[in-house]
Structure formats: C-alpha cells, structure tokens
Amino acid sequence: MLSDIYRRELRDLRISVTDRCNFRCTYCMPFDEYVWIDREELLSFEEITRLTRLFVELGVSKVRLTGGEPLLRSELQTLIKQLGEVPGLSDICLTTNASRLVEKADSLRAAGLSRINISLDTLDEEKFKRMTKREDLPKVLNGIFAAKASGFKPIKINMVVERGVNDDEIIPMVDFCREHELSLRFIEYMDVGNANGWASNKIVSKKEILERIHDVYPTQDGDRERVSDPAIQYAFSDNRGDIGFIASVTEPFCTNCTRARLTADGKLVTCLFSNDGLDLKTFLRNGATDDAITDVITSVWNKRSDRYSDERLEALNSSEGYNPRRQTKIEMITLGG
Ligand code: SAM
Ligand code: SF4
Ligand code: SF4
C-alpha cells in the first residue's frame, strides 16, 4: 500500500471530467470568462479508465466524478460503465449541481453509478440566483426528485454556508431534507481557488450551524463513517435522518486525507489547495508503460506532504493571521471539487 510522508495511504481518487460549468457560483467560479482547457487536452474515457485501473492497483477503492459540472461531459454514462469494469473498484460516485439530472438520472443508474451528491445551497429563488448567477432552482429540485425516482439512496445534499448570504436557509434546508429523506451535509466556506473573494468572517462554523439546528431538532453525538471520511455525521434524536459536516476550516482533517485528484487534462494533484500537479497525460500520450506510470504516481505520493487546512487553522489562530492569497491555487472547477 502506498503511503505519503505522514503515512497517509492513497485510497480515494477524485476525477474531474470537465472544467466547464453551466453555473457561476460566487464561492467557486464567479467569472464569466476563464481560460478553459482545450477539448483535445481533455483525457479520453479510455485514458481515464486506464489511469483509474493503475490507481486501483495502488490502493484506491473509491472514485468520485466531479468537475466543473460533470454532467456537461457528453456520454458520461459510458465512462461509468467502463469504470465499472475496473477490477477492485467498489464505489463510483458523482458530485453534480443536478441541473441536468432529470435527463440523465436513469442512464447513470443503469450504467452502474453507486451514489450521487448534489449541491444545493438555498431553496429561495432569489438567493439561488444570487449564488449561482443562474435561474435553475426548479431544474435542480426536479433533478433531485429524478435521482430519487431512479433509486439512488442515500442522496447527499451539499450546502455551502456563507454568512449573510444563505445562513438563514439552514433550517429550511434541514426541513426540506428531512421531508424528502435526503442526507444534508454542510460544507464550511473554503478559500479554494483565487476567484471567490473568501474572507474568514464569511464562514459559518460547524459549531454554530450545529447549535442552530440542535435548538430546533436535537441531534446525537457525531462521528465519521470511516476515519478518512471528511464528513462528521450526526443523527437526529427523533431518528428522522441525519446531517453531516465538512468542517475543513475549523476542524481540518488533513491527518487522515487519503485523496488524490486527477484534473480533466490529466494532472495528478495531491491537495485541494495545490498550485500545480504532475502531468500524467504526457506520459499516457508518449506511450509510457503501465509500470512507468505507476512508478511516477508512487513517487509523487511517497513525497506528498500537503496539510494546507491544518496550516490554515494554525495561521488563523496565530498573531500574524492567515493570508488566503499567500499562494496561487488551481481553481476548484479545474482540479475537481
Ligand atoms: N459542479 C458540481 C457541483 O457543484 O456539485 C461538482 C463540482 S463542485 C466544485 C464540488 C463541490 O465543491 C460542490 O459541492 C460545491 O458546493 C463545493 N464548493 C465549491 N466551492 C466551494 C467553496 N469555496 N467552499 C466550500 N465548498 C465549495
Ligand atoms: Fe458551482 Fe459546481 Fe459549477 Fe463550481 S463547479 S460553479 S460549485 S456548479
Ligand atoms: Fe487533504 Fe489538502 Fe484538504 Fe488537507 S487541505 S484535507 S491535505 S485536500
């Protein structure tokens, strides 16, 4: 089993299948124009599947397809079918904004997709428009219901909470998810990329969100499902569902981070806050053997020393404070959230 310098194994692979997105979420990619990856630079499904097979041989058991908006990549179900044939890969998941799910949910399920996470930050049309710069809330809601109707279970709803923007939507979102048997996960607003104007006073911490919910719907003590799982889960005391927290800023989990990322143009990135990655596509397209590619991945992972969120918390708690612009980062739509 591969291990980095802090003895963290390589277990999970997040694959960005496109950097394009039909939304412009203010906390992720608010710019209309951006230097998009050229189509011929995108990894083909065969290239993605080959790399995934090598990652699985090195210890990965779970793959998440993401982006950008992964449902903008045409024929995604074909990739899912191909990944389903990789020996030893037990879990293929998808993170999506759900705007195209009505058309695609059935075919994704039939292709063998194991699970879906859907991003939704508000049930209010005006706030939705303000946060995504689009008017697609009805499509997203219908996409959620289509995923349920196709048989995906559990469906996780990811909500990024930004102070003064949608923190008044916490209880309405809990109500909605309890009513529709969806598993709601709160994500602390992070300083991903360089475009979102993040500031620490915009974060609503896990502690605060949990207290606000607990006052209305008491919860029981939380825990992680797996030690490397970023989310801490809490069950409601009345047994009507659960909520999760990805508290990357206030309770970082770098110590157990077993995730690698593959960008849509084939770069291996070892942290969400990295400023660069290793170009595996060039190896693929220059005819490298499986052994040669495996050696490169091994050498990158063995040297991995990322612990950005731990360092951020140390800086936030220090007298100097934390400067989110201390280094340029790859945008989240490019490296795959
Ligand atoms: N487009 C898809 C979607 O929105 O679900 C997949 C890609 S998106 C980059 C993956 C996840 O990253 C989403 O759940 C989104 O809410 C989250 N995300 C994006 N920017 C974030 C930020 N600044 N802080 C916390 N989470 C963020
Ligand atoms: Fe929003 Fe996801 Fe698109 Fe980022 S990639 S702008 S989070 S929909
Ligand atoms: Fe993993 Fe980097 Fe996030 Fe830490 S900051 S949990 S190392 S991706």
Side-chain angles (χ1 to χ4, degrees):
M1 175 62 68
L2 273 192
S3 187
D4 72 7
I5 69 164
Y6 297 121
R7 294 174 184 266
R8 297 171 297 188
E9 293 173 349
L10 173 57
R11 288 279 182 200
D12 310 86
L13 181 63
R14 297 202 174 184
I15 302 173
S16 172
V17 293
T18 176
D19 61 339
R20 315 258 161 165
C21 188
N22 52 340
F23 285 9
R24 285 291 177 277
C25 300
T26 48
Y27 52 69
C28 177
M29 178 35 71
F31 300 153
D32 284 329
E33 293 308 321
Y34 183 64
V35 183
W36 306 105
I37 297 171
D38 285 341
R39 288 196 192 280
E40 59 274 18
E41 301 302 325
L42 290 183
L43 292 187
S44 67
F45 289 168
E46 286 67 31
E47 288 170 329
I48 293 174
T49 306
R50 180 177 173 206
L51 284 178
T52 302
R53 179 171 53 76
L54 300 179
F55 275 99
V56 169
E57 285 167 10
L58 289 169
V60 163
S61 57
K62 183 175 156 191
V63 158
R64 176 171 299 283
L65 302 177
T66 178
E69 174 44 45
L71 296 186
L72 295 191
R73 179 88 187 239
S74 60
E75 298 300 314
L76 191 69
Q77 65 276 15
T78 305
L79 174 64
I80 291 167
K81 262 193 215 129
Q82 290 178 10
L83 292 176
E85 285 160 17
V86 171
L89 181 59
S90 53
D91 216 2
I92 306 170
C93 315
L94 174 78
T95 302
T96 173
N97 65 25
S99 59
R100 303 249 172 130
L101 216 38
V102 168
E103 305 95 276
K104 310 226 168 181
D106 281 343
S107 62
L108 294 170
R109 177 102 181 128
L113 184 67
S114 322
R115 285 181 293 129
I116 291 194
N117 288 6
I118 294 172
S119 304
L120 176 65
D121 308 311
T122 174
L123 296 162
D124 178 279
E125 296 211 17
E126 273 311 305
K127 284 192 194 106
F128 186 92
K129 195 171 154 191
R130 184 171 157 202
M131 293 186 84
T132 63
K133 300 193 177 178
R134 297 293 182 267
E135 299 185 359
D136 287 344
L137 179 60
K139 276 193 198 161
V140 170
L141 295 177
N142 286 334
I144 293 173
F145 299 135
K148 269 191 86 171
S150 300
F152 287 103
K153 197 170 166 56
I155 295 173
K156 291 185 180 162
I157 305 293
N158 289 347
M159 175 179 179
V160 177
V161 185
E162 191 177 340
R163 190 176 301 284
V165 177
N166 68 333
D167 55 323
D168 56 348
E169 286 286 290
I170 292 172
I171 299 300
M173 284 285 291
V174 170
D175 287 334
F176 174 80
C177 289
R178 279 164 58 93
E179 182 187 341
H180 295 288
E181 297 181 355
L182 304 162
S183 187
L184 181 57
R185 304 195 317 169
F186 297 93
I187 308 183
E188 286 181 346
Y189 180 29
M190 295 183 279
D191 55 317
V192 293
N194 318 286
N196 63 10
W198 181 92
S200 60
N201 62 4
K202 293 184 181 172
I203 300 169
V204 185
S205 69
K206 170 199 163 211
K207 182 169 177 288
E208 181 178 338
I209 299 171
L210 186 59
E211 279 168 6
R212 288 206 214 170
I213 295 170
H214 194 74
D215 283 347
V216 184
Y217 298 113
T219 53
Q220 289 158 0
D221 282 350
D223 210 350
R224 296 185 200 275
E225 278 170 18
R226 299 187 303 169
V227 77
S228 62
D229 198 335
I232 306 175
Q233 293 292 126
Y234 291 75
F236 289 115
S237 302
D238 63 5
N239 287 326
R240 279 193 58 204
D242 58 14
I243 43 170
F245 292 87
I246 303 185
S248 326
V249 181
T250 63
E251 296 178 26
F253 35 81
C254 298
T255 313
N256 297 311
C257 178
T258 55
R259 281 173 295 284
R261 290 179 157 81
L262 187 61
T263 64
D265 59 349
K267 293 204 177 88
L268 168 60
V269 179
T270 55
C271 177
L272 186 54
F273 300 90
S274 295
N275 56 8
D276 205 1
L278 183 104
D279 180 9
L280 291 177
K281 175 171 72 358
T282 299
F283 286 87
L284 287 172
R285 294 190 182 173
N286 285 347
T289 62
D290 285 356
D291 284 349
I293 297 173
T294 301
D295 285 350
V296 171
I297 299 171
T298 303
S299 129
V300 168
W301 196 264
N302 285 157
K303 290 191 203 116
R304 177 182 187 245
S305 62
D306 307 286
R307 48 184 297 280
Y308 191 92
S309 292
D310 280 353
E311 289 166 2
R312 182 205 298 109
L313 187 62
E314 286 158 17
L316 283 168
N317 290 335
S318 74
S319 52
E320 289 100 74
Y322 169 63
N323 174 11
R325 279 160 276 282
R326 71 180 189 181
Q327 72 179 46
T328 308
K329 303 161 209 147
I330 308 175
E331 293 301 335
M332 199 170 188
I333 52 163
T334 303
L335 61 70

